Amino acid sequence: MAEPLRPFRLRGCGSPQKFGVAAGSLRGLLRKGCRLLQLPLAGSRLCLYEDGTELTESYFRALPAQTELVLLGPGQSWRGCASDIERLLAAFCSHQGAVVEAARRLLTDERAPHRQKLLADLVHNLSENILAEDKEEDKKWFEGLESRFKNKSSYLRHSCESRMRGYMREVTGFISNVHPSARDAYRGIIDLMAEKLKSVKYNGCYFDRREKEEAARLCTAEGWFSCQGPFDRDDCPCKHSINPYSNRESRILFSTWNLDHIIEKKRAVVPELAEAVKTRDGREVNWEYFYQLLFTLDNLKLVHIACHKKTNHNLSCDKSRIYRKRKQTQEIS
């Protein structure tokens, strides 16, 4: 029996135009889409507009009606709505001078305070040197910083590294609360974590524009960051966003944003690690699980200071992951 037809909103890669297409199967929708957008069926595929997830038949069946989809031809890719933002920024950059000049002309005759403020903000934002990376290209951005920072990514990478080093100091400082019989084992785990952090350069790539693909869950186009809090909501209710690469003021303001631990570092993760070492009873503590909770995006999210909830999150570590599973050995008959 044929599946009932369901309506979807379909667009091509790089095109804002949307089409209503109804289909009962992924294959049927792909066939109709390729015919509509004049793409070859072979090598084409469908993905979600929102985040670029490629569809399978089972995933397709679970989608609600009117889901927005992108049809990709052979060789095309889609990274979600960030792709649209990138194109918007590119369009602004290519006509930036003309837009700024037009806004300035409007400002000379504008008397309404609200419209004045909007136009002034537009001129200010478009006059920023967001795409500049090196110090020689945007000297004002580097005012107040040490001379050793030669580009924007190096400073923001250093800032992230400093936060990670701070977390490491807190883990180390907790050793006085560890049972005396377990302190040597706790120190051994600290050494392993420190070595791993050092090997990945303290995860500084999370805030490195040149390596932004490594931080896709935090970063969108050309250095924009979005608030991901508070932790008990789907997203930030105020839609906070910031581009610390844009100007000196944004760079300073960004330093007030927090990297928030979802499962809390002080209340849950570190005490649980200390308890695991104390009660291990011959078992091997899964220190890499605790490392993920303390230092990676598995348990960290970027939060505007106004959305950083200081109350107890009431979340705990996964008890099934605290110790490593014993390796199974097979008897040779």
Side-chain angles (χ1 to χ4, degrees):
M1 182 177 178
E3 294 285 341
L5 299 180
R6 290 184 296 141
F8 295 93
R9 289 176 295 162
L10 186 65
R11 55 186 284 182
C13 182
S15 171
Q17 188 175 8
K18 302 173 187 176
F19 301 91
V21 181
S25 67
L26 177 62
R27 183 70 177 174
L29 182 60
L30 187 61
R31 188 180 297 110
K32 287 184 178 181
C34 287
R35 188 163 55 244
L36 179 68
L37 299 179
Q38 299 183 339
L39 289 172
L41 184 60
S44 293
R45 60 220 189 275
L46 289 162
C47 67
L48 294 181
Y49 166 76
E50 183 178 2
D51 60 11
T53 301
E54 194 167 326
L55 301 189
T56 62
E57 192 66 58
S58 59
Y59 194 3
F60 170 81
R61 287 195 292 269
L63 290 177
Q66 299 299 341
T67 297
E68 188 168 347
L69 305 173
V70 177
L71 177 60
L72 301 175
Q76 292 181 327
S77 62
W78 184 258
R79 297 191 300 105
C81 53
S83 297
D84 269 347
I85 297 173
E86 286 179 337
R87 276 192 294 274
L88 176 63
L89 286 172
F92 265 127
C93 290
S94 61
H95 300 90
Q96 182 172 322
V99 175
V100 169
E101 183 57 33
R104 282 178 174 153
R105 284 199 300 269
L106 288 172
L107 263 176
T108 58
D109 297 322
E110 184 56 64
R111 296 291 179 267
H114 184 61
R115 285 197 293 268
Q116 271 188 338
K117 179 66 167 60
L118 289 175
L119 286 168
D121 285 347
L122 177 64
V123 171
H124 175 71
N125 290 331
L126 288 182
S127 297
E128 293 166 351
N129 203 356
I130 292 177
L131 298 181
E133 174 67 12
D134 297 328
K135 188 172 184 176
E136 294 302 316
E137 298 174 307
D138 193 355
K139 291 183 179 180
K140 188 175 180 180
W141 192 94
F142 291 85
E143 289 179 3
L145 297 182
E146 296 176 40
S147 59
R148 63 191 173 105
F149 298 114
K150 303 302 183 184
N151 57 64
K152 295 178 180 180
S153 290
S154 68
Y155 171 74
L156 290 170
R157 188 168 58 245
H158 165 77
S159 179
C160 181
E161 290 173 5
S162 297
R163 298 190 196 202
M164 296 297 173
R165 290 177 190 272
Y167 298 157
M168 190 72 245
R169 285 193 294 271
E170 290 183 58
V171 179
T172 303
F174 195 81
I175 197 166
S176 60
N177 299 300
V178 178
H179 192 275
S181 65
R183 286 178 183 172
D184 285 344
Y186 187 85
R187 288 191 187 94
I189 287 176
I190 290 174
D191 290 342
L192 290 170
M193 287 183 174
E195 188 63 31
K196 186 173 179 68
L197 265 179
K198 186 177 179 181
S199 71
V200 295
K201 299 179 181 178
Y202 292 87
N203 289 329
C205 66
Y206 290 166
F207 294 92
D208 190 328
R209 178 161 56 174
R210 288 174 173 173
E211 300 179 49
K212 67 182 179 178
E213 294 299 329
E214 298 291 327
R217 280 183 287 168
L218 283 182
C219 183
T220 58
E222 293 301 344
W224 282 95
F225 293 83
S226 298
C227 174
Q228 297 173 302
F231 80 97
D232 57 354
R233 295 176 182 266
D234 291 335
D235 55 15
C236 164
C238 299
K239 306 298 181 186
H240 294 119
S241 63
I242 193 170
N243 189 329
Y245 297 91
S246 60
N247 56 52
R248 179 174 177 269
E249 291 75 18
S250 294
R251 184 255 295 170
I252 294 171
L253 182 61
F254 187 61
S255 68
T256 68
W257 285 44
N258 293 302
L259 269 178
D260 191 19
H261 288 84
I262 302 169
I263 302 175
E264 294 169 283
K265 174 178 78 273
K266 292 182 179 179
R267 290 191 177 105
V269 181
V270 179
E272 188 70 67
L273 172 60
E275 183 64 19
V277 174
K278 174 188 171 185
T279 60
R280 65 192 186 282
D281 192 25
R283 294 172 292 182
E284 183 182 358
V285 176
N286 185 7
W287 68 268
E288 289 179 318
Y289 169 61
F290 289 99
Y291 172 90
Q292 289 170 356
L293 294 180
L294 290 166
F295 304 112
T296 76
L297 296 181
D298 287 356
N299 192 46
L300 282 168
K301 61 178 183 175
L302 191 63
V303 183
H304 185 280
I305 190 170
C307 292
H308 189 201
K309 299 187 72 172
K310 300 293 186 178
T311 56
N312 196 328
H313 294 186
N314 293 314
L315 297 173
S316 58
C317 301
D318 184 348
K319 300 293 185 183
S320 68
R321 300 185 64 188
I322 289 175
Y323 298 102
R324 295 188 190 277
K325 293 181 180 180
R326 295 181 182 275
K327 293 183 179 180
Q328 299 292 327
T329 56
Q330 293 181 338
E331 293 185 3
I332 300 175
S333 57

